[in-house]
Amino acid sequence: MSVTNIQTEQTDWDKEIADSEQKCAVICKYNASYLQLFEADLRDLAPKTIKRHLQNIDFFLNTYLLFDETHPLTMEDGVTAIDDFLGYFLEFKTYFADSTKRSFVTSLRKFYKSMAAHGKITPEQYEDVEESLQDGGAEYKQIMKDLYEECNV
């Protein structure tokens, strides 16, 4: 491989990183507006409860969904990422207590209900959210278990 090819590959990589960072910045800007809408919908709850819901959703939107900076996910993409979040990420990658995991389920339900009410997701997407939350990631856990067993046969 020539020096020119290496430099070209590095330039392409730098451009891809810059594009990814720009995508994340744009997504974060939208996420901030979604959090403001959500906070307004929570106004009848106790301040401590509002804070907990906002922290949970901020973690989901701005940490979990943006974790892979080369393929950041939007709030809308998050609808299909809930199974992985509950069934794998919270289960195996964090040290959250079960009560915290249940808190995330409640926060996600309220958040996506708010987004559906504001027309940010479709009613069909909200139905998918509800299904994932009722399942609690059990389907995803079963798929992972089956894959693990298949690999160890």
Side-chain angles (χ1 to χ4, degrees), residues 69-152:
E69 291 178 353
T70 59
H71 298 97
L73 300 175
T74 64
M75 178 273 295
E76 296 86 349
D77 296 329
V79 167
T80 59
I82 291 173
D83 282 331
D84 178 65
F85 179 69
L86 297 175
Y88 177 72
F89 187 78
L90 287 184
E91 191 72 24
F92 300 109
K93 295 295 183 184
T94 66
Y95 295 103
F96 291 141
D98 285 343
S99 60
T100 304
K101 293 173 189 173
R102 287 190 302 273
S103 174
F104 269 104
V105 169
T106 301
S107 296
L108 287 165
R109 179 172 283 122
K110 287 183 177 296
F111 175 72
Y112 277 107
K113 185 175 185 177
S114 171
M115 295 301 101
H118 290 284
K120 302 300 182 185
I121 62 170
T122 66
E124 293 78 18
Q125 287 174 305
Y126 182 69
E127 288 175 22
D128 291 343
V129 167
E130 274 299 319
E131 186 177 310
S132 294
L133 294 174
Q134 288 172 2
D135 184 37
E139 183 178 341
Y140 189 84
K141 287 180 209 175
Q142 186 60 47
I143 290 169
M144 295 304 289
K145 182 181 175 187
D146 293 346
L147 285 172
Y148 179 76
E149 289 173 357
E150 196 174 288
C151 290
N152 289 321

Side-chain angles (χ1 to χ4, degrees), residues 44-94:
D44 295 333
L45 300 176
K48 185 177 174 183
T49 304
I50 293 171
K51 181 179 177 184
R52 180 176 34 94
H53 287 312
L54 291 173
Q55 286 174 334
N56 287 348
I57 298 304
D58 181 62
F59 179 85
F60 179 72
L61 294 176
N62 294 316
T63 301
Y64 177 72
L65 295 180
L66 299 180
F67 181 73
D68 181 359
E69 291 178 353
T70 59
H71 298 97
L73 300 175
T74 64
M75 178 273 295
E76 296 86 349
D77 296 329
V79 167
T80 59
I82 291 173
D83 282 331
D84 178 65
F85 179 69
L86 297 175
Y88 177 72
F89 187 78
L90 287 184
E91 191 72 24
F92 300 109
K93 295 295 183 184
T94 66

Side-chain angles (χ1 to χ4, degrees), residues 6-64:
I6 292 173
Q7 289 173 337
T8 302
E9 284 182 16
Q10 184 63 40
T11 303
D12 291 344
W13 176 252
D14 290 341
K15 183 179 180 325
E16 190 173 315
I17 293 295
D19 290 345
S20 295
E21 288 173 353
Q22 186 176 9
K23 279 184 199 173
C24 288
V26 169
I27 291 171
C28 282
K29 184 177 176 181
Y30 279 101
N31 289 347
S33 68
Y34 300 143
L35 285 167
Q36 287 177 340
L37 278 175
F38 183 48
E39 184 174 14
D41 288 348
L42 298 174
R43 65 185 170 276
D44 295 333
L45 300 176
K48 185 177 174 183
T49 304
I50 293 171
K51 181 179 177 184
R52 180 176 34 94
H53 287 312
L54 291 173
Q55 286 174 334
N56 287 348
I57 298 304
D58 181 62
F59 179 85
F60 179 72
L61 294 176
N62 294 316
T63 301
Y64 177 72

